[in-house]
Every structure is written in structure tokens, then in C-alpha cells.
Amino acid sequence: WAESLRQDDLPITMTVDSLWKNVVGRTSQKPTHYLSDLAEFVGKEKGERVTVAVDVSILLHTAVSNIEAAREFDVEPPIPVTSALKSLRRCHSLLVNNGIRPVYVFDGQKNPLKAATNEGRTDEKKIAAQELREKVKHARLQDAADVDKLRQKAAYPREDVLCIVREWMREADNGASFFCAPFEAEWQCVEFEQSGIVDAVLSTDGDCLILGAKVLVSQVKWGNDLGQCNLYRADDVFAKDIGGAGRWNDSLPELSAFLGNDYIDRLYSRCDEGCNKMTYKSALKLLDSYIATEDKRAWLDAAEKKYFKADPTDPKKRVPASGFRKRFEDVTFLIRHAPVFVPVPTGEHDYNSMVLGDDSTCSIELLPLNTLPDAVLDTDWGCKMGWPSNPSGLLGSEGHRIHP
């Protein structure tokens, strides 16, 4: 199973283009810790149980990328991909056996600002599926390995996978808890950590550090039983002596927007050799200039004329960064005030005595990750982050599910 998983060969998913390489990556990307180290890392006694919010999409993509699951995924007519659950249970056991109580967080609705990124990922899956069909049509015995690789590229967490996994998580005796976020899972994971419901966040998403995660568990080697991983403290990552980003801690959303992320294209600067991607050092200089200016809107309008972005119809071409100011304002507002479900104690209960899923101890409210500015009305905040209306208006009566 460990050999078929091949998770170690998959690229790390960091949505802020240069964050990992230039800031976090100054520490080693090779595993330097073990999951069993996490208790002491968050200030608990060694061996004490630690609660961690897990962006479950990581495990789901890991599970369907298993060769056995990818082969099941490729069967026509479709059959349930039961092998994915077997892989996920192994990952779950690795966490539990190392003293971690996972709270799995599922994604909800997508933000319109992320539409291009989501469409690009869907297109990649479709292209892989088309290549797979062609390869299978003319397959030879020596093509078996290539066929399996294409199956892994084409597989994704389909509805049947989600259904099987959630049914398993509902079982009372497996130690698994899950929570369905209203929108992005990483936003909800960070909220749980900020509220003290969990001790750390497990994700491969660079957004978590930008959003405000304090302790990040990443690069877990799921393919072995050692629990190798990397553990990061935000205070260390953004310290002045690591990457030089310390003095910009209050402007991390702006830094991520200049570098490019899932919601906004990275800027390109003009030079004698042509248009080059904005480097990390250039982005820091740009950030200094942006912070220092009083008329930030005028500064962003000028940036539209001075810098370039990739042509959406041809990524190799560059076009003026028209619309950058509006996009920049929406994205940075979204990163600061992402909508999340916030558990609120009811009656005589407080945050220590409330139980998620128990309506007699807490209620769930849709609130911004950080407090809205006084000038922004509750009815307007969705419009400032890409939605046509207040985020709560996008959720029906089935907006959230909590278990147990």
C-alpha cells in the first residue's frame, strides 16, 4: 500500500506562489519532525492528546491517488471507489496512533474569485481523462505504468467517495469527527484554531499561514508508519530572521496578493529582457511602497498601468493588469474576513464546556474570520469579497452539518 500511494512524489499544494520557497522553505521541506512531537510543540506534555483541524481534501486526494482506488475510479460504468476509504482509514490510524484527535473539515461552496483556478484544475482532470482514453485504446503491455499514472491524474474525490467517507466518519467508535465548512475548509480550520477548539491545523495549503494559523502540520509522509512531518509556528516562519517578513505581519494578505494565489494573478514587471514574474524581494519592496502611501486606491490604479498579468487565453503572453485594483481589494478583504461558522456557547456554557453538535451547549453562526471594519455593514461584506450578496444568503437550510 505504501508503495502504491506515491504521495511523496506528488507536488506540494501551496496556493501562494512564493511563500513556501522564500519564507517557509528557508527551513527544510524534508521531514524534520514526527507527529508524536506535536504535543510538546504546542506546549502540552509529551504523550498528551492533541486536537487538530484537518483539511480533509488533502486526505481525499491522497486516497483517490492510490493506484488501487484510481483503477476503481476508471471502471465503466462507475462503481463505488471503496479503496479510497481503506487509504483514508490508514491515514486516520496514523494520526490517532500518534496521539492526535482529528477534526476533519470538508469544503463547502466556492468563492467566485476562485472560479478560474477551479476551472483550471477541472480542465487538468479532463485532459488527463482524455489522454487516458487514448492511451487505453492503443495500449500495449509496456504502457501499463503510464496508464496507471494517467488514472491517478484523472481521479478526484467523486460524490460516491464523499458519501462513503462521511458514512464511515459517522460511526461512533472510530474516533473521527467531521465538520462541513460553509465555504473553504482552510478558512474553517484556522477559525477552529483561533477559537481554541483545536491545537493546530493540518494542511498543505499556504493560505493557512496567511489566514492566521498559529501552528501548521504539513508534508506528512502518509506512506509510512513513522509519522514523519514538518511542524511550523507562524511566529517562527514570519520572524525577522527567517525570510525577512517579520515587519509585514499585519500585511500578509497584501503580500500574498502581490505574489499571486488562487484568487488573483501574480504580477509581472517589465524589464529589458521582457516581462518577468514578480519575485519575492520585488513583492516586499512593492509592499513597503503600498504601506507607505496614503492614497492606496491611486497607488493600485497606477500599478494597473505599470505592471502586467498573464493573458487568460494564453498564459505565455502578458497583458496590462487591468482590473487589478478591484481584484486586489476584494481578495485582501476576503483573506482577512473570510466567512466561517463560529460556535457560540449558549446558556450557562462557555467555550470549555460546549460540545460541537450539541445544540443545548452551543449554536453556530456565520461570521467573518476577523471583525469587520466599522465602515462595512453586515449586509455588504459579501459584495466586498466577490459574492453578489451576504454570504449567509448563499446558504440554504442545509447550510451546515456538525458531527458528532
Side-chain angles (χ1 to χ4, degrees):
W1 173 83
E3 291 181 358
S4 66
L5 187 60
R6 305 294 292 172
Q7 174 66 11
D8 298 347
D9 294 338
L10 299 177
I12 296 170
T13 307
M14 296 301 295
T15 55
V16 181
D17 283 353
S18 284
L19 179 71
W20 201 267
K21 177 181 177 182
N22 293 287
V23 184
V24 186
R26 289 177 180 266
T27 58
S28 175
Q29 288 194 42
K30 295 181 179 179
T32 55
H33 297 87
Y34 294 89
L35 291 171
S36 57
D37 298 331
L38 184 57
E40 291 180 289
F41 196 81
V42 298
K44 294 189 173 184
E45 295 293 328
K46 185 174 181 62
E48 191 175 351
R49 189 175 72 168
V50 181
T51 303
V52 176
V54 181
D55 183 347
V56 78
S57 63
I58 301 166
L59 299 190
L60 291 174
H61 283 91
T62 297
V64 297
S65 70
N66 176 288
I67 291 176
E68 185 179 353
R71 288 171 178 168
E72 287 184 353
F73 186 95
D74 189 40
V75 172
E76 291 290 346
I79 63 172
V81 186
T82 56
S83 295
L85 177 59
K86 182 170 66 174
S87 297
L88 188 138
R89 291 178 69 171
R90 289 180 181 270
C91 295
H92 174 71
S93 295
L94 182 65
L95 296 173
V96 173
N97 292 339
N98 282 279
I100 292 174
R101 176 182 178 268
V103 176
Y104 298 111
V105 182
F106 286 84
D107 282 313
Q109 295 189 35
K110 299 298 183 184
N111 182 275
L113 295 175
K114 199 176 179 180
T117 297
N118 291 330
E119 289 171 5
R121 290 171 180 170
T122 300
D123 289 344
E124 288 176 3
K125 295 294 182 182
K126 289 180 179 178
I127 292 171
Q130 291 172 356
E131 292 178 357
L132 174 60
R133 299 278 73 81
E134 289 298 316
K135 180 67 75 171
V136 170
K137 188 185 299 184
H138 307 288
R140 299 166 297 174
L141 184 61
Q142 57 265 40
D143 294 331
D146 291 337
V147 168
D148 276 338
K149 287 180 180 179
L150 285 172
R151 283 178 174 142
Q152 289 175 290
K153 287 183 178 180
Y156 61 90
R158 207 166 50 193
E159 288 84 354
D160 57 298
V161 176
L162 296 174
C163 182
I164 291 170
V165 167
R166 287 190 186 182
E167 285 303 312
W168 169 73
M169 288 183 177
R170 285 191 174 97
E171 296 174 8
D173 60 350
N174 58 23
S177 299
F178 75 88
F179 190 101
C180 295
F183 300 102
E184 295 286 340
E186 65 263 25
W187 304 348
Q188 192 66 54
C189 288
V190 172
E191 200 298 310
F192 280 162
E193 189 194 31
Q194 291 184 351
S195 295
I197 294 171
V198 303
D199 302 298
V201 173
L202 192 158
S203 179
T204 54
D205 215 328
D207 288 355
C208 291
L209 291 171
I210 298 296
L211 287 163
K214 300 173 185 175
V215 176
L216 179 66
V217 183
S218 197
Q219 288 102 41
V220 179
K221 298 295 182 181
W222 301 109
N224 63 49
D225 296 327
L226 300 176
Q228 293 173 298
C229 65
N230 275 328
L231 304 177
Y232 302 101
R233 293 187 187 90
D235 288 345
D236 295 335
V237 169
F238 294 114
K240 291 182 179 179
D241 58 339
I242 301 180
R247 70 177 185 271
W248 296 288
N249 276 3
D250 294 333
S251 302
L252 294 178
E254 285 78 13
L255 177 60
S256 73
F258 287 136
L259 289 171
N261 54 46
D262 279 353
Y263 303 90
I264 188 169
D265 291 331
R266 189 171 187 170
L267 287 178
Y268 287 77
S269 58
R270 173 73 72 182
C271 66
D272 293 338
E273 292 78 22
C275 288
N276 290 338
K277 266 189 177 183
M278 180 70 61
T279 66
Y280 178 68
K281 289 184 178 179
S282 297
L284 290 180
K285 291 180 180 178
L286 211 59
L287 184 60
D288 272 336
S289 174
Y290 173 79
I291 293 172
T293 188
E294 292 186 7
D295 191 345
K296 289 181 169 44
R297 283 206 155 193
W299 189 97
L300 291 169
D301 284 333
E304 286 190 14
K305 301 174 182 178
K306 183 177 181 181
Y307 296 97
F308 299 82
K309 64 180 180 180
D311 186 338
T313 62
D314 185 353
K316 293 182 180 180
K317 294 181 180 179
R318 306 288 173 256
V319 295
S322 57
F324 177 76
R325 175 181 63 78
K326 178 66 166 62
R327 190 78 170 193
F328 181 93
E329 291 174 340
D330 288 351
V331 169
T332 53
F333 189 89
L334 172 65
I335 293 173
R336 279 197 170 86
H337 308 291
V340 292
F341 282 137
V342 179
V344 179
T346 57
E348 298 179 355
H349 292 277
D350 57 21
Y351 282 100
N352 293 321
S353 63
M354 72 178 186
V355 179
L356 282 179
D358 184 348
D359 293 341
S360 66
T361 66
C362 69
S363 62
I364 302 295
E365 297 183 12
L366 184 71
L367 298 171
L369 186 59
N370 296 295
T371 305
L372 292 172
D374 293 337
V376 178
L377 298 175
D378 289 347
T379 54
D380 296 336
W381 64 304
C383 300
K384 290 185 173 292
M385 53 181 73
W387 280 293
S389 62
N390 188 317
S392 60
L394 305 173
L395 302 176
S397 59
E398 300 298 315
H400 70 276
R401 283 287 183 269
I402 309 168
H403 187 86

